[in-house]
Amino acid sequence: MSRLLAVFDLDGTLFQTQTVDIAAITQALAKCGCPPLAPQEITGLFGLPFAEICAQVLPGGQPGLIEQFTQNVIRHELEEIPRAGCLYPGVLESLQALQALEIDMCICTNGSEQYVQAIADKFGLHSLFAEISYNSSPLSKSERVAALKQKYNPDTLVMVGDRSSDIAAARDNGGVAVGVSYGFGGEEMSAADYIADVFPEVETILRKLAAPLSMERVEPNGFFTLRQAAEGVWAAIVIPGSGALGNAAIIDLGDSAAVVDTFSLPEAARLLREAAELLTGNPVKYVINTHYHGDHHYGNQEFTDSLILSTEGTRNILTREQAPVPGVWQKGLQLQISAFRQVKAAAGDPLVRAALADEISDKSALLAAVPRIRRVTAALTFTDELRLHGASRSLRVFSYGGGHTESDAMVYIEDVKVLVTGDLVLNRTHPAMQTGCPEAWLGILTRISSEIDFERLIPGHGEIGGRHHLREMSGYLTGILQYAKKAAATQDSVEAWLAKGVPAPYDTWKMSHIFEWNFRWLFERFGNHTKEE
């Protein structure tokens, strides 16, 4: 079974027929002694079966005259195609990009075999199409498209053309009609499901139609689940306890792909790269690390052919602090796992116990992966902002400084209003605060709210969110700062305050064990400040 079968008309869709047939028909009419036609009259014939063309230009013509006219047209076409024939702008480039998506592509045209083969030979179309169906039988275009559908058995059939017969072929076969306004059909295209004004827009439409089918082809795995955030943008949401730990994102740039963050484990990163290539039909050209925490960059090593980017600050941190020695790293992880188990055994809150179970599982997976992890840092860095341009969209990669860490980056996909935030914004998940500055963090969130026109948000942890999650994140940081400051000003111990549990409304948030880390850190911070005063 084929995922998607795209059937293309030729004249007025792929090939600029007027570059050949105005001259060919004019010369053929002259040689037959027939009255000439104006160029606009000739272009009105394009896309029709040749028998209908003959009926219009040779009304009441004798079989001998029709045969003479036919042979003259074919002879002149074959002379004109190598000399003057042209495809529409962007056709070859878009077809090559679509071929990489593993879409089955065919041509179904009313042109003659010699005519079609000459065009295919000149532009190398045979290598791009699985099959070319030309007008060699009394079957209609709808009937020939039906035969292609039966042969390839697609999940989705798409017919791309410029005439009403192309739309009818889609309708008759339960397919999607994509009309091209630049061809010869004019108002006939108003009945199409989609309309493209230039051929690269056909590529965009087909990518949109193929995306859900591509997601179905990504094999489920134990590390992450794919969620489509917008056209050509996917979130790889980690499965708790899998070891992958931090979310990632995949962005289709048209002629390449970008990945934001690469998980904790090389195995998960390899599957992320494969998913990106399958979803976009392109290699991963860019990998963007939002910050230096390992759950966002340990998988970099799986992207050997990609350009890795980060802020200058993130790279400086990773190069300043040498990668841990495997044996020392493993010993540290074993100690952490042992400590987490003790805390879990003593925890009374079921949500905290569940979160610690995931933490233990994540750390155990990382412990097993340590011998296979090697640090790969960015080859290209920036301070404030960087623009990445693809064939179909551009990305704004930028930083407002440090909040969650010393240096945090984000990625904005403006055309679909999606913001990838790293750990600056989480979706109802407790953020780790100890390596950052909460006050600066709040300032960054304020800038995001006022300066970035986004509708959907891919967070560092948790499911895809929206603008309200930005407000919730600000509320969390403000609330825990006030709560810890109030606690530190009392005579009660940190243990007494922690015994009260996680305060509402954050008591239902995920990764709830992190609240204790944050509170202890802030309690000590505010306590020291109070003593100094």
Side-chain angles (χ1 to χ4, degrees):
M1 175 177 283
S2 166
R3 293 184 299 118
L4 189 146
L5 173 62
V7 181
F8 295 84
D9 173 51
L10 180 64
D11 292 303
T13 301
L14 305 176
F15 185 66
Q16 297 189 55
T17 316
Q18 69 274 18
T19 60
V20 168
D21 270 6
I22 290 177
I25 291 175
T26 298
Q27 293 178 69
L29 287 171
K31 290 190 175 180
C32 291
C34 298
L37 295 175
Q40 60 269 28
E41 293 179 289
I42 295 175
T43 57
L45 303 171
F46 296 160
L48 299 176
F50 197 76
E52 290 187 32
I53 293 176
C54 291
Q56 291 195 34
V57 302
L58 304 170
Q62 298 299 313
L65 181 60
I66 293 174
E67 178 64 24
Q68 181 186 0
F69 174 73
T70 301
Q71 293 304 317
N72 282 331
V73 169
I74 292 173
R75 181 165 58 84
H76 290 301
E77 283 177 336
L78 298 180
E79 292 171 355
E80 293 291 327
I81 288 169
R83 185 185 67 82
C86 293
L87 298 177
Y88 284 100
V91 165
L92 279 179
E93 296 83 356
S94 291
L95 289 175
Q96 289 163 355
L98 290 168
Q99 187 181 48
L101 286 179
E102 299 182 12
I103 292 174
D104 284 320
M105 298 190 294
C106 298
I107 291 175
C108 186
T109 173
N110 288 325
S112 68
E113 179 178 4
Q114 291 172 290
Y115 170 78
V116 174
Q117 294 292 359
I119 295 170
D121 290 343
K122 177 176 180 178
F123 298 105
L125 300 184
H126 292 291
S127 64
L128 296 172
F129 291 96
E131 189 168 336
I132 298 176
S133 173
Y134 40 79
N135 191 19
S136 61
S137 71
L139 296 178
S140 68
K141 179 170 280 191
S142 288
E143 291 169 326
R144 286 185 285 131
V145 169
L148 293 171
K149 180 182 179 183
Q150 183 176 16
K151 179 176 180 178
Y152 291 92
N153 189 24
D155 292 312
T156 302
L157 167 70
V158 183
M159 181 71 212
V160 184
D162 70 317
R163 301 304 298 257
S164 59
S165 60
D166 300 311
I167 296 174
R171 297 282 181 264
D172 293 344
N173 291 286
V176 177
V178 178
V180 296
S181 63
Y182 55 79
F184 306 112
E187 295 182 359
E188 296 174 20
M189 294 300 95
S190 62
D193 298 300
Y194 297 89
I195 298 177
D197 294 325
V198 292
F199 194 81
E201 291 181 4
V202 174
E203 178 191 343
T204 301
I205 293 166
L206 290 175
R207 284 181 177 277
K208 178 179 179 180
L209 294 171
L213 302 175
S214 296
M215 284 187 67
E216 291 173 6
R217 294 189 66 199
V218 177
E219 292 290 334
N221 63 77
F223 297 111
F224 61 88
T225 303
L226 287 172
R227 305 269 193 265
Q228 186 155 16
E231 182 180 336
V233 182
W234 298 266
I237 305 297
V238 295
I239 296 172
S242 67
L245 196 55
N247 290 341
I250 297 168
I251 306 165
D252 186 358
L253 301 177
D255 55 352
S256 61
V259 162
V260 184
D261 290 333
T262 59
F263 301 137
S264 276
L265 304 178
E267 300 94 319
R270 176 179 55 79
L271 293 171
L272 177 68
R273 174 176 52 78
E274 292 173 356
E277 292 170 350
L278 183 59
L279 288 169
T280 68
N282 290 305
V284 177
K285 186 174 183 179
Y286 306 108
V287 169
I288 302 155
N289 294 144
T290 58
H291 58 289
Y292 78 88
H293 289 167
D295 56 322
H296 297 264
H297 76 85
Y298 285 161
N300 284 0
Q301 67 188 61
E302 294 297 319
F303 295 84
T304 55
D305 296 325
S306 306
L307 178 63
I308 298 176
L309 301 86
S310 75
T311 64
E312 183 73 14
T314 292
R315 189 181 190 280
N316 287 342
I317 293 168
L318 291 173
T319 53
R320 182 175 70 235
E321 299 178 4
Q322 295 296 317
V325 177
V328 175
W329 190 5
Q330 288 175 308
K331 185 175 181 180
L333 287 169
Q334 289 168 342
L335 291 173
Q336 289 181 33
I337 291 168
S338 178
F340 286 140
R341 284 174 175 155
Q342 293 178 26
V343 175
K344 176 176 176 285
D349 186 333
L351 291 179
V352 172
R353 288 200 303 271
L356 283 165
D358 288 335
E359 183 77 38
I360 293 166
S361 182
D362 285 330
K363 287 292 189 290
S364 298
L366 181 59
L367 174 63
V370 163
R372 302 187 297 279
I373 295 175
R374 61 181 180 84
R375 179 173 291 181
V376 179
T377 55
L380 178 65
T381 61
F382 67 98
T383 303
D384 298 315
E385 184 171 319
L386 182 68
R387 299 274 180 165
L388 300 178
H389 302 289
S392 63
R393 64 159 46 107
S394 297
L395 304 181
R396 179 188 174 196
V397 186
F398 68 104
S399 174
Y400 287 158
H404 172 62
T405 66
E406 293 178 35
S407 184
D408 298 294
M410 292 170 278
V411 179
Y412 181 46
I413 308 110
E414 185 173 8
D415 63 299
V416 288
K417 296 185 177 181
V418 174
L419 180 66
V420 187
T421 64
D423 284 359
L424 284 169
V425 184
L426 310 186
N427 184 344
R428 298 190 177 181
T429 301
H430 290 262
M433 300 170 65
Q434 301 92 310
T435 59
C437 175
E439 294 80 8
W441 195 339
L442 282 165
I444 289 172
L445 299 183
T446 298
R447 286 192 67 183
I448 293 172
S449 179
S450 62
E451 297 178 16
I452 309 298
D453 181 23
F454 74 94
E455 295 176 354
R456 305 207 81 189
L457 178 151
I458 299 177
H461 299 269
E463 290 288 342
I464 293 172
R467 294 194 72 88
H468 62 288
H469 291 106
L470 182 67
R471 294 190 293 271
E472 288 184 349
M473 193 72 182
S474 295
Y476 179 93
L477 295 176
T478 301
I480 195 172
L481 282 168
Q482 293 173 347
Y483 188 74
K485 188 173 184 178
K486 172 185 172 182
T490 70
Q491 300 301 312
D492 295 332
S493 68
V494 66
E495 301 300 337
W497 279 90
L498 285 171
K500 299 175 186 288
V502 180
Y506 311 112
D507 52 339
T508 60
W509 283 26
K510 295 178 180 177
M511 296 173 65
S512 53
H513 64 300
I514 291 177
F515 171 79
E516 179 178 338
W517 307 353
N518 292 337
F519 184 80
R520 286 185 182 278
W521 177 68
L522 289 170
F523 188 92
E524 181 180 357
R525 182 177 182 233
F526 285 124
N528 289 337
H529 181 68
T530 302
K531 291 174 186 176
E532 291 171 4
E533 291 179 344

